[in-house]
Amino acid sequence: MASHCSLRRSVIQLYKELQYMGREYPAGADYFNKKCKAAFLKNKDETDPEKIEMLINRGRFVQKEIEALYSLRKYRAMKQRYYDKDEMDMHSKQIESFVKQL
């Protein structure tokens, strides 16, 4: 079990990392920052170390999801730049058929 100081440090670090990542959020940095701050303020009075660790893990999960969102956005932008429309349709149909087979 982590000490109070290390949990506090982890929460602050997570908050800073999320704020940094929110700069490129598709709905806008202001929207993201407001939602992020609201989520942290909602749980500011939590004192149970296990619950705090669970909330930190949930925040890390959200962080990974945002990273995946950014990667997908970059992939789509590159795909639009380097593939013509017919190739993209062909690739998407191949992917759909592959997913259906699973």
Side-chain angles (χ1 to χ4, degrees):
M1 188 169 289
S3 70
H4 175 72
C5 292
S6 66
L7 286 175
R8 178 175 167 78
R9 192 174 317 125
S10 296
V11 170
I12 291 171
Q13 179 183 4
L14 176 64
Y15 184 76
K16 287 180 179 181
E17 289 172 1
L18 286 171
Q19 291 294 314
Y20 180 78
M21 292 178 74
R23 295 182 312 159
E24 298 179 31
Y25 196 71
D30 289 336
Y31 172 81
F32 182 85
N33 290 340
K34 286 178 187 176
K35 291 289 186 179
C36 184
K37 185 175 182 177
F40 276 80
L41 287 176
K42 181 177 115 180
N43 296 304
K44 74 176 183 172
D45 296 324
E46 189 60 54
T47 57
D48 181 24
E50 291 178 10
K51 176 79 178 200
I52 293 171
E53 286 183 29
M54 185 194 72
L55 292 167
I56 290 171
N57 289 336
R58 184 184 305 162
R60 296 280 179 221
F61 175 77
V62 169
Q63 191 176 26
K64 289 176 185 175
E65 290 293 316
I66 293 169
E67 288 173 0
L69 175 72
Y70 291 166
S71 296
L72 182 61
R73 185 177 65 184
K74 289 178 183 177
Y75 169 75
R76 287 180 177 166
M78 289 188 64
K79 190 174 175 183
Q80 288 176 350
R81 284 186 200 128
Y82 296 109
Y83 292 105
D84 63 351
K85 179 83 169 118
D86 296 331
E87 278 186 74
M88 287 188 348
D89 290 340
M90 182 182 70
H91 288 298
S92 63
K93 288 179 183 176
Q94 288 174 346
I95 291 171
E96 286 175 8
S97 66
F98 178 74
V99 170
K100 286 180 183 177
Q101 291 174 358
L102 296 177

